[in-house]
């Protein structure tokens, strides 16, 4: 008779059932004690982890066997199918790690497009960063500081997205035009704008912590009993952690974050870029597009540089902005300025540009013509009607 090979989790379940059968004839009190002892010796979560494939994933799209087609859609090279998240059934943690690994490749791919297709260049931040300290960067068009006419500044939301991206999910599951800022950049440059692409989510350098080592076995002489007990507890915990890592190679690597000077948050990054780039640009007219948390960061910029922003910025297009003028304690003058120069396109089932009720007295809200996502790409999709929403020429009238 052939005995099928069972996974670790299936084996554990069999052991549990056998154990329960064995204690079936015992008294209730004895049953409870026996089952507790049995369960304490079976860690199903750990055994499930041991069934996971290693967390080693391809480093390029080609190795992943995916590529972007002529429509900017991510497709499998052999089958032509869209990306499948659940590549392995019942292995959610492994599937999530695989998705994140692909996302890192997508980030580098978008950087390449910004440099090759859009002809943008990196500017390292902080400007006086030393060789040894962590740094971030923004992307600039060749005439970003010298164009005397128009400058477009792009600020994405929070999360894993980096320079040039609106939403990783849309890049992977829909297309490059929906999930990246490239349509904004190309259209803006065609119409005479210079461009700055901010990178507000790269705020730290993540490095792996040194490997734990077994504690020394030597004991101090004449150590008080209470102190010895505390030390034994601490060393016992270290020893357990050490053996856990040895026993479970799938445990995630421990890391620590080193903050990037003067760019430790989205708000700080936007302020730094304003002070060192936007405020020094020759452009008489600055236009800003800010998505989600980027809208909050813009309002924080106004709280710190209100007069400068009012004098230099013509219009701001917000999409599903996360700002709150009450919680951020904006001034009455800022609120009045936002009423005249800002517009917030929000997720709504209503047709594009349909006016919506605003809960706060900050800026007009209109429908983005989509439900569940503001669809920032629709501002450049050709569906914009160019309805004026500011006393000056709005960005909607151009791009």
């Amino acid at each position: 008779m052939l005995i099928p090979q069972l996974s670790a989790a299936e084996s554990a379940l069999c052991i549990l059932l056998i154990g329960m059968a064995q204690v079936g004839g015992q008294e209730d009190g004895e049953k409870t004690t026996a089952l507790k002892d049995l369960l304490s010796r079976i860690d199903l979560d750990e055994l499930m982890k041991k069934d996971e494939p290693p967390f080693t994933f391809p480093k390029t799209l080609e190795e992943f066997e995916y590529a972007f087609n002529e429509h900017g859609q991510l497709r499998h090279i052999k089958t032509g199918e869209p990306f499948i998240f659940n590549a392995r059934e019942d292995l959610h943690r492994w599937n999530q790690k695989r998705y994140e690994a692909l996302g890192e490749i997508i980030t580098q791919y978008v950087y390449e497009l910004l440099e090759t297709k859009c002809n943008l260049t990196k500017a390292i931040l902080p400007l006086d960063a030393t060789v040894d300290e962590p740094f971030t960067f923004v992307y600039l068009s060749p005439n970003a500081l010298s164009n005397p006419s128009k400058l477009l500044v792009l600020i994405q939301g929070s999360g894993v997205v980096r320079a040039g991206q609106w939403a990783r999910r849309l890049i992977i599951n829909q297309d490059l035009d929906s999930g990246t800022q490239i349509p904004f950049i190309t259209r803006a440059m065609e119409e005479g704008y210079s461009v700055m692409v901010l990178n507000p989510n790269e705020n730290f350098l993540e490095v792996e912590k040194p490997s734990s080592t077994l504690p020394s076995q030597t004991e101090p002489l004449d150590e008080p009993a209470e102190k010895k007990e505390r030390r034994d507890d601490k060393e016992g915990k270290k020893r357990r952690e050490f053996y856990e890592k040895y026993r479970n190679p799938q445990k995630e690597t421990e890391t620590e974050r080193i903050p990037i000077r003067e760019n430790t948050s989205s708000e700080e990054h936007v302020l730094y870029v304003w002070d060192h780039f936007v405020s020094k640009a020759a452009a008489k007219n600055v236009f800003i597009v800010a998505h989600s948390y980027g809208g909050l960061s813009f309002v924080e910029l106004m709280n710190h540089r209100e007069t400068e922003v009012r004098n230099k910025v013509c219009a701001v297009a917000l999409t599903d902005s996360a700002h709150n003028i009450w919680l951020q304690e904006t001034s009455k003058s800022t609120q009045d300025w936002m009423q005249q120069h800002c517009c917030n396109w929000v997720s709504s089932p209503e047709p594009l540009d349909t006016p919506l009720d605003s809960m706060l007295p900050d800026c007009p809200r209109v429908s983005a013509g989509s439900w569940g996502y503001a669809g920032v790409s629709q501002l450049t999709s050709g569906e914009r009607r160019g309805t004026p929403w500011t006393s000056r020429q709005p960005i909607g009238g151009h791009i």
Side-chain angles (χ1 to χ4, degrees), residues 68 70-73 113 117 164 166-167 170-171 174-184 186 373 375-378 380-381:
F68 287 98
E70 65 274 14
H71 303 295
Q73 301 166 324
L113 291 179
K117 182 177 180 179
W166 293 125
L170 292 183
I171 297 173
Q174 196 162 323
D175 55 47
L176 288 167
D177 280 355
S178 299
T180 76
Q181 299 171 352
I182 291 174
F184 282 77
T186 54
Y373 182 71
V376 288
S377 62
Q378 293 194 38
T380 59
S381 67

Side-chain angles (χ1 to χ4, degrees), residues 318-331:
L318 305 172
T319 59
D320 268 343
S321 178
H323 74 276
N324 186 305
I325 58 171
W326 290 342
L327 295 178
Q328 294 181 258
E329 299 180 348
T330 60
S331 65

Side-chain angles (χ1 to χ4, degrees), residues 94-271:
W94 185 88
N95 288 327
Q96 180 63 32
K97 292 296 180 183
R98 173 176 173 266
Y99 177 82
E100 293 170 4
L102 176 63
E104 293 302 313
I105 295 173
I106 296 296
T107 292
Q108 297 303 319
Y109 185 84
V110 173
Y111 288 162
E112 292 178 12
L113 291 179
L114 294 179
E115 295 172 12
T116 58
K117 182 177 180 179
C118 302
N119 195 30
L120 305 185
T121 57
K122 286 182 180 179
I124 302 299
L125 311 181
L127 293 175
D128 60 345
T130 64
V131 176
D132 299 327
E133 74 172 308
F135 63 87
T136 184
F137 54 85
V138 293
Y139 274 104
L140 310 176
S141 63
N143 61 344
L145 297 177
S146 60
N147 184 345
S149 179
K150 300 175 292 187
L151 169 65
L152 174 65
V153 179
L154 301 177
I155 313 172
Q156 72 261 57
S158 61
V160 296
V161 289
R162 297 294 184 262
Q165 301 181 49
W166 293 125
R168 175 185 289 181
R169 174 178 59 83
L170 292 183
I171 297 173
I172 294 176
N173 297 323
Q174 196 162 323
D175 55 47
L176 288 167
D177 280 355
S178 299
T180 76
Q181 299 171 352
I182 291 174
F184 282 77
I185 298 168
T186 54
R187 177 109 177 243
M189 295 177 76
E190 288 171 1
E191 299 194 10
Y193 287 81
S194 55
V195 178
M196 290 187 186
V197 177
L198 273 59
N199 199 16
N201 299 321
E202 193 155 349
N203 312 122
F204 53 83
L205 174 66
E206 194 163 17
V207 297
E208 185 175 346
K209 287 185 178 180
S211 300
S212 300
T213 56
L214 282 172
S216 171
Q217 300 298 317
T218 59
E219 297 184 7
L221 296 176
D222 301 325
E223 185 177 25
E226 185 178 348
K227 183 176 180 181
K228 180 178 183 298
E229 184 178 350
R230 288 199 304 269
R231 181 176 58 81
D232 288 345
D233 288 342
K234 185 176 180 181
E235 291 182 354
K237 182 180 179 182
K238 288 183 178 179
R239 189 174 290 106
R240 287 193 299 272
E241 290 176 351
F242 176 84
Y243 285 120
E244 169 65 15
K245 289 182 181 179
Y246 176 79
R247 185 174 69 85
N248 178 21
Q250 292 294 83
K251 187 171 183 178
E252 297 181 37
T253 302
E254 294 185 9
T255 61
E256 60 180 340
R257 295 178 173 183
I258 304 174
I260 298 173
R261 178 165 54 89
E262 299 181 85
N263 289 267
T264 59
S265 66
S266 174
E267 300 93 316
E268 196 173 53
H269 174 80
V270 171
L271 181 61

